[in-house]
Amino acid sequence: MNNIKLIKCVFVGMMLSAVVACNSNQNRTNSTLNDKPFKEKVDSVLNLMTVEEKIGQLNLPSAGQFTTGQAKNSDIGNKIEKGLVGGLFNIKSIASIRDIQKIAMEKSRLKIPLIFGMDVIHGYETTFPIPLGLSCSWDMDLIKNTARMAAQEATADGINWTFSPMVDLSRDPRWGRVSEGSGEDPFLGGEIAKAMVIGYQGDDLTKNNTLMSCVKHFALYGASEAGRDYNTVDMSKIRMYNEYLLPYKAAIDAGVGSVMASFNEIDGIPATGNKWLLTDLLRDQWGFDGFLVSDYTGIEEMMYHGVGNLQEVSAQSLNAGLDMDMVSEGFLTTLKKSLDEGKITMETLNQAVARILTAKFELGLFNDPYRYCDENRAKTEIFTEENRAFARKVATQSMVLLKNNNQLLPLKRTTKIAVVGPLADTKENMGGTWSVANPKEKSISLLGGIKEVAGENATILYAKGSNLSYDENFEKIATMFGKEIPRDGRTDLQLRQEAINIAQKSDVIVAALGESSEMSGESSSRSDISIPEAQRDLLKALIKTGKPVVIVLFNGRPLVLTEESKTATAILDVWFSGSESGHAIADVLFGDVNPSGKLTATFPRNVGQIPIYYNYKNTGRPLGNNDGKFEKFKSNYLDVRNEPLYPFGYGLSYTTFNYSNLNLSATKINKNESLNVSVDVTNSGDYDGKEVVQLYVRDVVGSVTRPVKELKGFQKIELKKNETKTVTFELSVEDLKFYNYDLDFVAESGDFEIFVGTNSEAQLKSNFELIE
């Protein structure tokens, strides 16, 4: 009997080796389950697999961190040996990953390689600004290159799959995960989604420095009610198709290799088990051919939605089109029983397994399961000086100048500066949320960056000024995951007085205020999105000194800054800028870099305005003024004006830009023609600078109601002082299409308005007509 088993194992190994040997390099965008080379190889592997081994390929547990040699003695190691694991995530280092892969390749019956994933969200060890901040650069090449560098570093450390980009559209800044997305606009969100996918995956996934991308969270996760994470989502199909679905579709069109299902329900069915979403829409309508993974315990959580027990929701998810179960182990523990009971079919199971195997072939893992385990790359390509220099450049491009009275900024290097605030000297918070691989101790704090960049002629004084919050318990939950800000045991009055004392000795105050990094992100919703009271009281005391105050604002979401916008002299929104935060902020403060970031999410005047966004629809009783004057029986508030504090697309510069000569190539076009829109932009100030020129379109009359304006184009240009450039946009009929009541994608003839300018409240306006 032992000899028979040995012969069988040798035969299986020879068969799988033959499959591996015929592997060829193929681009992800050119390969599908029906492509003959991959289909034949995948079918060959499938034919060797037992039911249990097939189900095992759909199992994605979280391994945590193993030390070398530990993996084989673990529960996960035993499951890998039995062929019951398809991949692992959140393991870091070549040694650990090689150790685990060896179990699959040397101990399991079929020697199918594992896939290794990680949340590489905005960089790997070299960390870039949080995605919301990065989106404010409006620079698609820059964004693509951050993903490219993240892939370079992560793959050098053994990772071959990232759970990024997150493209969830959100218009509610109470939702903590707004920090992980690209703001409120579907067009801009789609452009960023494409750039990120291309940056991660390159043009050939078999190269060992490319990373399979996973777009998330499919779908509508950013529209959770009340801004509370994991909460119910309920919206019309017209809004879905015209707004919230567009960034996911852009990622699919860019060739993304995998998709992660969201936690929320859609039309009463959790997304993880929603067949309309995962199959009818994603695969049948959009043609997606990659694999689908649940979010962390997403299958198990369907039970709490009230749609069945673990066996029932696992079968429902597989039948809906989900391929891989992250952590729940519902597939692993129940699918065999469901197969025996006829609740799933072998065909459905084989389809899911085939998609996972196809991804592994695309990544070249069958050809070389250790292709991402090159120790030389790990030593020379991660967190290098070159990478950090690029991160510093990227961070400067993401910062948004919200206010700059009396041209206080840039600061002079001969100035005596008081650096104050609980966020001034906390390098651990600079990486922002979801910076899991970032060596926090190597990041640069604001205080450290100012001291290095200011030079020997500047005098830098420092005082903490306040704790993050008066509430010690709140501060604990807001500084989790190794991002603590040590609480100062002095009284609040003593802390403030120290700050006042150094402020009175200084020429200017730089106040580092806002949120800690874990005040935004997953499970970090806030009902009050103002700066914590302890810091507001500090700011009031600083203002009373009469010295000019620059707020350096750290935040992972739009904040309510109504009072601060009135009292501070200048406000620079730096988000969480990554590894090189302190250096990059100082570069902007001292004018080495002119800020050029533009907001991608609207800042409200108060929380009662939420949800607030630029591309709203008119009511039947629109307000007839923009000066905040209340009008009875119109759509407005008694206690606050309709307009936001800072609109979408807003951002100042140290220089000024003038727009003139808006021209359209025609006043009428038919559906086979395009329209050229040109405008002259002049740098009329005293500094060279960059400007994001924004084009908006309004469809004046439609078969369904249309937004007051929609972003349809943008260009980031660089102008020397006194220089003028003509910027030209080309609009085609595709740019004018929308989903009508029947969800047909159409362009309707009629009048259109064009707006061009420096933000969504663009002043230059023209019009044209689309004719049949």
Side-chain angles (χ1 to χ4, degrees), residues 180-410:
E180 298 174 54
S182 300
E184 69 188 48
D185 184 69
F187 177 80
L188 178 61
E191 294 300 299
I192 292 173
K194 288 189 288 188
M196 293 290 285
V197 169
I198 293 168
Y200 286 133
Q201 295 190 166
D203 59 3
D204 185 356
L205 274 174
T206 63
K207 293 179 180 177
N208 70 351
N209 66 348
T210 57
L211 196 60
M212 180 167 281
S213 177
C214 182
V215 67
K216 65 183 185 183
H217 305 83
F218 195 63
L220 319 182
Y221 183 36
S224 60
E225 291 181 356
R228 183 159 50 85
D229 212 352
Y230 319 122
N231 205 8
T232 302
V233 171
D234 192 6
M235 75 170 61
S236 69
K237 288 290 200 301
I238 280 186
R239 170 158 278 188
M240 275 189 217
Y241 275 75
N242 280 318
E243 300 169 30
Y244 281 77
L245 291 177
L246 295 185
Y248 307 108
K249 179 64 162 55
I252 302 305
D253 291 343
V256 72
S258 60
V259 173
M260 181 182 290
S262 57
F263 288 116
N264 54 280
E265 66 175 65
I266 296 175
D267 288 340
I269 300 174
T272 307
N274 192 310
K275 184 176 183 295
W276 172 82
L277 181 72
L278 304 186
T279 295
D280 299 349
L281 176 65
L282 182 61
R283 295 197 186 280
D284 295 345
Q285 290 185 37
W286 291 359
F288 175 64
D289 66 345
F291 73 93
L292 269 157
V293 62
S294 77
D295 206 335
Y296 197 104
T297 64
I299 290 177
E300 177 184 340
E301 290 174 30
M302 288 174 64
M303 295 191 294
Y304 302 104
H305 281 278
V307 294
N309 60 33
L310 186 60
Q311 181 186 353
E312 291 166 335
V313 299
S314 297
Q316 179 179 340
S317 298
L318 187 76
N319 287 329
L322 195 79
D323 303 309
M324 193 170 242
D325 173 2
M326 182 188 287
V327 177
S328 295
E329 294 204 339
F331 281 4
L332 187 69
T333 59
T334 72
L335 285 189
K336 177 66 164 59
K337 183 179 180 184
S338 292
L339 183 66
D340 293 341
E341 294 175 352
K343 294 177 180 176
I344 64 169
T345 66
M346 183 62 76
E347 180 184 8
T348 302
L349 177 61
N350 283 345
Q351 278 185 332
V353 179
R355 291 174 186 133
I356 304 301
L357 296 176
T358 298
K360 293 179 178 182
F361 273 112
E362 289 176 330
L363 287 166
L365 290 171
F366 278 97
N367 190 51
D368 179 6
Y370 305 107
R371 66 189 300 107
Y372 298 92
C373 295
D374 182 340
E375 292 183 0
N376 289 326
R377 288 190 62 207
K379 293 175 183 176
T380 60
E381 297 181 17
I382 299 174
F383 207 66
T384 64
E385 288 300 318
E386 180 184 2
N387 292 2
R388 295 183 69 173
F390 179 60
R392 181 172 178 169
K393 173 186 174 182
V394 172
T396 64
Q397 301 303 300
S398 72
M399 297 172 191
V400 182
L401 184 62
L402 298 177
K403 183 180 181 182
N404 192 25
N405 274 12
N406 305 319
Q407 289 291 296
L408 176 60
L409 296 177

Side-chain angles (χ1 to χ4, degrees), residues 694-706:
Q694 301 164 41
L695 170 70
Y696 298 86
V697 174
R698 181 183 182 187
D699 188 348
V700 178
V701 177
S703 59
V704 295
T705 56
R706 305 288 292 123

Side-chain angles (χ1 to χ4, degrees), residues 35 63 82 118 166 215 229 274 327 341 377 498 509 511 526 556 571 622 629 650 653 657-658 747 754 765:
D35 280 344
K82 296 175 183 176
M118 181 173 273
M166 193 198 94
V215 67
D229 212 352
N274 192 310
V327 177
E341 294 175 352
R377 288 190 62 207
E498 182 187 31
I509 303 165
R526 296 181 64 195
I571 304 175
K629 181 181 177 182
Y650 174 86
S653 169
F657 298 99
N658 291 337
I754 295 282
K765 178 181 174 182

Side-chain angles (χ1 to χ4, degrees), residues 649-667:
Y650 174 86
L652 302 177
S653 169
Y654 294 155
T655 192
T656 53
F657 298 99
N658 291 337
Y659 286 69
S660 61
N661 299 325
L662 176 62
N663 287 301
L664 276 59
S665 60
T667 57

